[in-house]
């Protein structure tokens, strides 16, 4: 009967077998059904004979004040720093036993407990599920993430046009022809007899002639000299946005060997890359 040991223990005692870049889910955020956050991964239990991860230790503090349970590793879907249990419900976790850090778990014994927990009477019928062997195989699918730029546009006030008017005073010269009358006296020598006598009253008469002239009369009339309409036109231009993004790349050579970050094949003390993959459950 194979025993289950904690991943951190095998990392401390068998690092020469699993290597320095062995996948460790500890500390990652855990999500249940409908991507509801339930807590975080506290560690993993590994089968002592194969080195494969069989259980994830999940702290379901998001559903309960404090409860750590063992969830079959095959129910997990790993995306970046998050672990999703797409079918794990609160009722299922409630039916599970609390994880005991001091207890020596065996694969077969825990498997039988799981079969009872996932179909317990306290679990709604729609949420019950039969546990199979493949539910204990750690995910062998690694999702590589990359960042992509998303550019949105916001409309802002780029300028304000205000149109008004003011009065400008200027002098204008206008030429106007004016007429005026002047007295013109003509004297004619006459030699004829008359009945009047000098000294008669009518002898002091005078003649008045009225002289007229034109005078310029200045007035002002207002006319509309110009109309101004204010509108808007739209012009388009292209801006180049420069931003740094990241993506994850798989470390593997052409022959299928696992390589480290420097590109060296993992082969320690006679252990082949195939041994490492088998120890990882790949």
């Amino acid at each position: 009967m194979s025993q289950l040991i904690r991943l951190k223990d095998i990392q401390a005692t068998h690092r020469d077998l699993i290597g320095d870049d062995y996948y460790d889910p500890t500390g990652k955020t855990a999500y249940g059904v409908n991507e509801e956050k339930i807590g975080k991964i506290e560690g993993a239990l590994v089968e002592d004979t194969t080195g494969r991860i069989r259980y994830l230790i999940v702290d379901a503090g998001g559903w309960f004040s404090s409860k750590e349970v063992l969830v079959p590793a095959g129910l997990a879907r790993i995306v970046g720093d998050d672990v999703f249990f797409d079918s794990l419900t609160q009722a299922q976790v409630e039916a599970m036993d609390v994880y005991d850090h001091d207890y020596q778990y065996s694969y077969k014994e825990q498997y039988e407990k799981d079969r009872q927990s996932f179909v317990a009477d306290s679990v709604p019928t729609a949420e019950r599920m039969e546990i199979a062997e493949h539910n204990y195989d750690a995910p062998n699918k690694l999702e590589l993430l990359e960042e992509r730029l998303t550019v949105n546009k916001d409309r802002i006030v780029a300028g304000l046009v205000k149109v008004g008017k003011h009065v400008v005073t200027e002098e204008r010269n206008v030429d106007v022809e004016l007429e005026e009358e002047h007295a013109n006296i003509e004297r004619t020598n006459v030699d004829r007899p008359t009945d009047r006598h000098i000294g008669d009253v009518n002898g002091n008469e005078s003649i008045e002639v009225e002289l007229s002239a034109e005078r310029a009369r200045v007035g002002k009339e207002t006319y509309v000299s110009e109309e101004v309409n204010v509108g808007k036109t739209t012009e388009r231009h292209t801006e180049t946005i420069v931003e740094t993004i990241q993506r994850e790349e798989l470390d593997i050579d052409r022959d299928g060997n696992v390589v480290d970050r420097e590109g060296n094949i993992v082969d320690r003390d006679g252990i082949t890359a195939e041994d490492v993959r088998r120890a990882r459950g790949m």
Side-chain angles (χ1 to χ4, degrees):
M1 182 183 299
S2 59
Q3 301 296 315
L4 298 174
I5 59 178
R6 290 181 300 181
L7 176 60
K8 66 179 182 179
D9 293 336
I10 198 173
Q11 287 174 329
T13 58
H14 298 81
R15 185 169 292 276
D16 57 338
L17 174 63
I18 64 176
D20 295 330
D21 55 352
Y22 191 88
Y23 176 74
D24 185 357
T26 303
K28 298 186 180 298
T29 304
Y31 298 86
V33 66
N34 298 324
E35 298 187 357
E36 181 179 355
K37 184 177 179 180
I38 61 177
K40 64 179 181 177
I41 307 298
E42 292 294 342
L45 293 186
V46 179
E47 192 174 7
D48 61 349
T49 57
T50 64
R52 293 184 176 183
I53 295 178
R54 293 301 189 182
Y55 286 93
L56 297 181
I57 305 172
V58 180
D59 181 0
W63 280 342
F64 307 96
S65 58
S66 178
K67 185 176 184 179
E68 291 184 359
V69 295
L70 296 179
V71 180
L75 299 180
R77 177 172 58 90
I78 300 172
V79 180
D81 290 332
D82 298 323
V83 179
F84 295 88
F85 300 96
D86 297 321
S87 60
L88 187 64
T89 67
Q90 183 174 352
Q92 293 171 350
V93 174
E94 188 174 8
M96 296 177 183
D97 292 337
V98 177
Y99 171 66
D100 187 350
H101 290 259
D102 299 323
Y103 184 75
Q104 180 61 61
Y105 289 89
S106 68
Y107 183 23
K108 183 177 180 180
E109 177 188 9
Q110 188 59 31
Y111 172 70
E112 294 299 328
K113 290 184 178 180
D114 294 338
R115 296 184 63 183
Q116 298 175 12
S117 299
F118 281 91
V119 294
D121 294 337
S122 60
V123 178
T125 304
E127 299 178 10
R128 297 176 186 177
M129 61 179 295
E130 294 291 338
I131 296 297
E133 285 288 340
H134 68 270
N135 295 128
Y136 295 90
D137 295 332
N140 57 6
K141 181 188 294 184
L142 179 63
E143 296 187 3
L144 302 180
L145 306 180
E146 71 174 10
E147 297 176 335
R148 295 183 179 180
L149 292 180
T150 57
V151 180
N152 296 318
K153 297 186 293 183
D154 295 324
R155 183 166 293 277
I156 63 173
V157 178
L160 180 64
V161 177
K162 186 177 182 180
V163 178
K165 61 181 181 179
H166 63 281
V167 177
V168 178
T169 302
E170 62 180 5
E171 291 185 357
R172 289 288 181 90
N173 295 325
V174 180
D175 295 331
V176 180
E177 288 189 359
L178 301 176
E179 293 181 355
E180 61 180 4
E181 295 176 339
H182 295 274
N184 182 23
I185 301 175
E186 294 182 0
R187 299 179 67 179
T188 304
N189 292 324
V190 178
D191 185 11
R192 66 172 178 266
T194 178
D195 294 334
R196 291 183 300 167
H197 297 280
I198 296 174
D200 292 343
V201 176
N202 293 332
N204 295 326
E205 64 181 347
S206 61
I207 298 175
E208 293 182 357
V209 178
E210 186 177 274
L211 302 177
S212 62
E214 293 179 337
R215 178 177 296 176
R217 183 177 68 253
V218 179
K220 294 186 290 184
E221 295 181 353
T222 302
Y223 290 81
V224 177
S225 62
E226 185 179 0
E227 290 183 346
V228 177
N229 292 322
V230 179
K232 298 187 294 183
T233 60
T234 301
E235 296 183 357
R236 299 182 181 273
H237 67 280
T238 301
E239 289 189 4
T240 301
I241 307 298
V242 179
E243 186 58 68
T244 301
I245 61 176
Q246 299 176 336
R247 70 171 183 270
E248 298 174 339
E249 294 185 351
L250 185 64
D251 293 330
I252 190 167
D253 67 3
R254 295 182 179 178
D255 298 326
N257 297 313
V258 178
V259 296
D260 58 19
R261 293 182 177 85
E262 287 72 32
N264 302 317
I265 297 177
V266 178
D267 188 2
R268 300 181 177 86
D269 300 330
I271 300 174
T272 66
E274 183 61 27
D275 294 332
V276 176
R277 287 197 294 272
R278 185 168 53 254
R280 294 177 177 180
M282 299 177 60

